[in-house]
Amino acid sequence: MGKVEEYSLFTLVAVILVLTFLQVILRKLPGNFSLKWLTMFARTSVLWVGLIGSAIAVARKKHISVDVLSKFLGPRGLTLVNALNYGVGLLILMVLYHGSLVYTLTKTWEEVLPNTWIPERVFTDPVPALFLLMIWHQWVHWRRDVAPDRAWGR
């Protein structure tokens, strides 16, 4: 799954760069032929880049961590701190998932990208799935690193 996330991220960033460059060129042409949907697409795609990048960071354990405690705690204390870290991370991700799901399900207005027939929902509705992906990665790390049956020597 990691390679799919990485290729998706690379492709999305490349598309954003090409379309943004195209938009700049179109704005400089006589008559200002800019396409408003390109700006909207780039803006909503940046959200996706951030969420996919966050999922990759969680999968690789490259998210923010504090290593000061690891020097002073023994293996059991470190396991306890890691369990707490994963638990708080899971709780935060679940709250974000819930908020994005409620927003997606209760959104009553329907906007389309300017000068197109493409609904904005195409970009915003899958956001809860990206939070689920981060929850999955966090859960896998918790099970592998600090699962209760391994953490306490059972």
Side-chain angles (χ1 to χ4, degrees):
M1 179 146 230
K3 290 293 180 194
V4 172
E5 294 166 358
E6 290 174 19
Y7 290 133
S8 299
L9 184 63
F10 175 79
T11 303
L12 191 55
V13 169
V15 168
I16 291 171
L17 287 173
V18 168
L19 291 179
T20 304
F21 183 71
L22 176 66
Q23 180 74 328
V24 169
I25 290 177
L26 289 174
R27 285 183 182 167
K28 299 297 180 187
L29 290 176
N32 191 11
F33 290 109
S34 67
L35 302 172
K36 291 181 182 178
W37 68 270
L38 287 177
T39 304
M40 183 68 140
F41 174 81
R43 190 174 9 179
T44 54
S45 296
V46 167
L47 172 70
W48 278 67
V49 167
L51 291 174
I52 294 171
S54 297
I56 292 171
V58 169
R60 292 182 178 175
K61 295 171 136 184
K62 298 292 184 184
H63 47 78
I64 297 173
S65 65
V66 179
D67 294 332
V68 174
L69 291 176
S70 64
K71 295 178 184 356
F72 300 110
L73 298 174
R76 280 198 155 173
L78 192 57
T79 300
L80 183 62
V81 169
N82 284 338
L84 183 65
N85 179 28
Y86 286 126
V88 169
L90 277 169
L91 180 65
I92 291 169
L93 288 171
M94 286 181 199
V95 168
L96 291 170
Y97 167 73
H98 179 265
S100 66
L101 188 64
V102 167
Y103 174 79
T104 299
L105 294 176
T106 60
K107 184 177 177 183
T108 57
W109 64 95
E110 185 66 36
E111 294 183 25
V112 296
L113 296 180
N115 302 325
T116 69
W117 51 269
I118 303 171
E120 186 181 309
R121 286 181 166 270
V122 170
F123 300 101
T124 58
D125 283 0
V127 168
L130 295 172
F131 281 117
L132 277 178
L133 181 63
M134 285 185 265
I135 289 170
W136 169 254
H137 285 308
Q138 190 82 344
W139 172 257
V140 167
H141 285 302
W142 179 81
R143 287 292 301 157
R144 188 175 349 154
D145 297 347
V146 292
D149 54 327
R150 283 187 238 140
W152 309 110
R154 292 184 203 158

